[in-house]
């Protein structure tokens, strides 16, 4: 089925402020992207994906990125430290996305150990080469962008941004903190100076928790777009102006997760019955971690402490659904046929057509997904909940805005 990819740069021409959902490792998955699009989010990024695994492993491609007819515009973000990995991955993905982004902002230790993320700023020539080669390889309107942090030497930061622009970047996203910062105020002066020294759109990232925060930052630094990570996890409706997650947004999350994992045959069978459909204990292609963790974020300000404690300890789909039904009157509802087609994941034929031409000639490796990264994220989530004793406050800051 054909998917029309929208032009990212049209957003910067049409919107006074482009509202963007940030790339978050293991959390910016298809179901969540489809959810936030219903609440005035203009553009979504995928989770950060390791480019070398993506282009060498069929399993990695099918595991790391999925999309649907309604998932547009979407930018796929890769972490890479060389031209071949990044451009090969971008060429494979380009039929299914509106643009590609180079991650130069992830501060996590495992990323630095692999020579990707923030460590790329130590050798910015690599950033320029990757950007230039990708821009030359894939025709516009496909966007090529870079997401980075700032340096203590602001003049060097400005020069790096100018050179990225010269290399052909469509726009820049600046997380206005240093690589060692995991929170605190952002450097708005750096954003203003960088904006004044480049001619491509600038997206500001860091610290925004509400639509009002975004509008005020736009006014102060004259950025062209804003990107939210932690705040949109806690409240997927943040760009609509909602102060906390609406109950109907929680309902929508359950519906998207349930419907997007149904086969055509299962959907057809359910439409023939009048009974209320019930979710499977373990829906196909949906992990409990994804389903449950997002709900933990969304319900933080909705549930009292004792109910949060109970909900956060749950381990099974049926436990979660029983709780949602009893406490919030939420049960999974079947989409109509148009909605079902819109949210259903598409089958992506990465191994066919022109996008195969750039492959390096190395044999494809079937099992190179770094499952240890998945495991680390899951354990970190659980340990953070335990450490907080369910006194959350700003505990979602654990997800660094890369």
């Amino acid at each position: 089925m054909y998917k029309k990819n929208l032009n990212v740069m049209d957003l910067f021409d049409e919107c006074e402020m482009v509202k963007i959902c940030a790339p978050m490792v293991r959390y910016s998955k298809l179901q969540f992207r489809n959810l936030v699009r219903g609440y005035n989010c203009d553009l979504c990024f995928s989770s950060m994906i390791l480019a070398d695994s993506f282009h060498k492993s069929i399993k990695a491609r099918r595991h790391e990125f999925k999309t649907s007819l309604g998932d547009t515009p979407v930018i796929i973000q890769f972490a890479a430290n060389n031209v071949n990995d990044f451009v090969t991955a971008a060429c494979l993905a380009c039929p299914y996305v509106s643009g590609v982004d180079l991650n130069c902002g992830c501060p996590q230790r495992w990323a630095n150990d692999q020579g990707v993320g923030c460590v790329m700023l130590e050798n910015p020539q690599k950033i320029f080469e990757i950007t230039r080669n990708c821009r030359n390889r894939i025709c516009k309107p496909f966007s090529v962008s870079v997401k980075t942090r700032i340096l203590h030497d602001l003049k060097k930061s400005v020069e790096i941004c100018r050179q990225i622009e010269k290399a052909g970047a469509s726009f820049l996203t600046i997380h206005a903190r240093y690589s060692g910062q995991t929170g605190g105020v952002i450097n708005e002066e750096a954003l203003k100076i960088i904006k004044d020294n480049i001619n491509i759109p600038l997206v500001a990232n860091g610290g925004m928790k509400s639509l009002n925060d975004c509008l005020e930052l736009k006014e102060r630094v004259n950025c062209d777009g804003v990107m939210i990570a932690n705040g949109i996890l806690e409240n997927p409706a943040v760009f609509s102006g909602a102060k906390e997650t609406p109950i109907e947004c929680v309902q929508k999350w359950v519906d998207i997760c349930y419907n997007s994992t149904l086969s055509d045959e299962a959907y057809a069978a359910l439409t023939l019955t009048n009974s209320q459909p019930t979710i499977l204990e373990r829906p196909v292609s949906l992990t409990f971690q994804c389903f449950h963790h997002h709900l933990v974020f969304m319900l933080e300000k909705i549930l009292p402490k004792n109910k949060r404690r109970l909900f956060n300890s749950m381990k099974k789909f049926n436990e979660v659904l029983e709780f949602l039904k009893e406490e919030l009157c939420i049960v999974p509802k079947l989409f109509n046929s148009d909605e079902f087609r819109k949210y259903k994941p598409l089958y992506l034929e990465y191994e066919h057509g022109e996008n195969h031409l750039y492959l390096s000639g190395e044999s494809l490796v079937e099992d190179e997904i770094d499952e240890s990264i998945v495991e680390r994220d899951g354990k970190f989530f659980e340990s953070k909940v335990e450490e907080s004793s369910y006194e959350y406050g700003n505990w979602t800051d654990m997800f660094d805005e890369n």
Side-chain angles (χ1 to χ4, degrees):
M1 190 176 293
Y2 177 72
K3 174 190 172 185
K4 182 179 180 180
N5 292 313
L6 301 180
N7 186 346
V8 170
M9 301 315 294
D10 284 347
L11 293 175
F12 290 104
D13 292 333
E14 298 167 359
C15 302
E16 184 176 348
M17 180 184 72
V18 181
K19 300 178 288 297
I20 305 171
C21 179
M24 295 168 283
V25 174
R26 308 298 170 191
Y27 285 90
S28 298
K29 297 295 189 179
L30 173 61
Q31 285 88 358
F32 189 68
R33 298 198 303 269
N34 279 330
L35 177 67
V36 298
R37 290 185 192 282
Y39 296 94
N40 296 342
C41 182
D42 300 313
L43 174 62
C44 292
F45 276 56
S46 75
S47 304
M48 182 184 73
I49 301 169
L50 296 176
D52 59 347
S53 294
F54 189 86
H55 85 76
K56 292 177 182 177
S57 168
I58 295 171
K59 182 179 178 182
R61 290 194 282 281
R62 292 174 179 169
H63 179 274
E64 291 293 339
F65 181 76
K66 293 179 176 64
T67 190
S68 65
L69 291 176
D71 184 33
T72 186
V74 60
I75 290 177
I76 192 167
Q77 188 189 71
F78 290 118
N81 57 21
N82 65 79
V83 170
N84 185 67
D85 284 345
F86 186 84
V87 179
T88 302
C91 286
L92 284 165
C94 69
Y96 310 112
V97 298
S98 295
V100 65
D101 187 79
L102 175 63
N103 184 307
C104 298
C106 182
Q108 297 181 42
R109 183 180 300 173
W110 68 263
N112 289 336
D113 290 344
Q114 296 194 38
V116 298
C118 281
V119 73
M120 291 284 286
L121 292 171
E122 297 176 8
N123 186 4
Q125 191 62 37
K126 284 186 179 181
I127 303 174
F128 312 149
E129 292 172 358
I130 290 171
T131 305
R132 183 180 300 108
N133 278 272
C134 192
R135 179 70 285 165
N136 290 340
R137 176 64 183 173
I138 307 179
C139 298
K140 294 181 179 180
F142 189 84
S143 69
V144 178
S145 57
V146 177
K147 185 173 189 293
T148 186
R149 291 191 173 220
I150 59 173
L151 301 172
H152 289 279
D153 184 343
L154 186 53
K155 289 183 179 180
K156 187 174 181 180
S157 276
V158 170
E159 185 56 28
I160 288 174
C161 292
R162 293 178 64 185
Q163 292 302 318
I164 291 173
E165 177 183 359
K166 289 182 180 180
S170 307
F171 67 93
L172 272 170
T173 302
I174 305 296
H175 182 179
R177 295 190 179 104
Y178 306 117
S179 60
Q181 284 183 283
T182 58
V185 297
I186 62 172
N187 189 330
E188 295 185 9
E189 186 62 25
L191 286 173
K192 287 190 288 187
I193 292 173
I194 292 172
K195 172 62 180 174
D196 290 342
N197 281 275
I198 61 173
N199 298 304
I200 55 176
L202 174 70
V203 174
N205 174 222
M208 289 166 282
K209 297 288 187 180
S210 67
L211 179 61
N212 192 56
D213 289 344
C214 298
L215 293 171
E216 290 179 352
L217 184 65
K218 159 73 176 176
E219 183 68 23
R220 292 194 296 268
V221 306
N222 194 33
C223 54
D224 302 281
V226 291
M227 176 183 284
I228 298 183
N230 299 329
I232 205 167
L233 277 175
E234 185 177 306
N235 178 11
V238 63
F239 285 133
S240 71
K243 303 300 183 183
E244 60 183 44
T245 305
I247 296 298
E248 62 93 14
C249 180
V250 182
Q251 174 74 65
K252 188 72 169 178
W253 170 249
V254 173
D255 292 344
I256 288 174
C257 289
Y258 174 51
N259 284 267
S260 66
T261 57
L262 284 175
S263 66
D264 289 337
E265 293 76 15
Y267 178 80
L270 284 169
T271 58
L272 296 176
T273 69
N274 294 321
S275 60
Q276 174 65 47
T278 56
I279 198 165
L280 300 173
E281 183 170 335
R282 190 182 189 284
V284 178
S285 302
L286 179 69
T287 66
F288 180 78
Q289 181 189 60
C290 174
F291 181 67
H292 181 238
H293 285 193
H294 277 295
L295 286 169
V296 169
F297 290 121
M298 294 182 211
L299 297 176
E300 179 184 346
K301 294 182 179 179
I302 296 174
L303 297 176
K305 178 181 175 181
N306 63 322
K307 296 294 178 65
R308 292 202 307 266
R309 183 187 298 274
L310 173 64
F311 184 81
N312 295 352
S313 66
M314 292 178 178
K315 303 294 183 183
K316 296 181 180 180
F317 282 100
N318 59 349
E319 292 178 334
V320 171
L321 290 178
E322 288 172 8
F323 179 94
L324 293 176
K325 182 178 181 179
E326 290 181 8
E327 298 295 330
L328 301 174
C329 298
I330 290 175
V331 295
K333 298 177 182 177
L334 197 65
F335 284 152
N336 63 41
S337 58
D338 288 339
E339 287 178 308
F340 180 71
R341 286 194 297 270
K342 177 181 177 181
Y343 291 116
K344 180 185 176 182
L346 299 172
Y347 177 74
L348 309 183
E349 299 183 271
Y350 288 115
E351 288 69 54
H352 299 281
E354 293 295 322
N355 55 334
H356 191 71
L357 294 178
Y358 196 83
L359 287 176
S360 63
E362 299 178 28
S363 59
L364 291 175
V365 180
E366 292 292 340
D367 53 359
E368 289 200 3
I369 297 177
D370 187 354
E371 297 293 352
S372 64
I373 296 173
V374 183
E375 187 66 18
R376 276 201 300 272
D377 287 346
K379 288 182 178 178
F380 188 35
F381 179 94
E382 292 169 4
S383 65
K384 191 67 178 179
V385 171
E386 291 170 1
E387 290 168 7
S388 68
S389 298
Y390 305 94
E391 295 291 347
Y392 294 127
N394 293 322
W395 67 281
T396 52
D397 289 343
M398 69 181 183
F399 293 95
D400 294 323
E401 299 175 75
N402 61 44

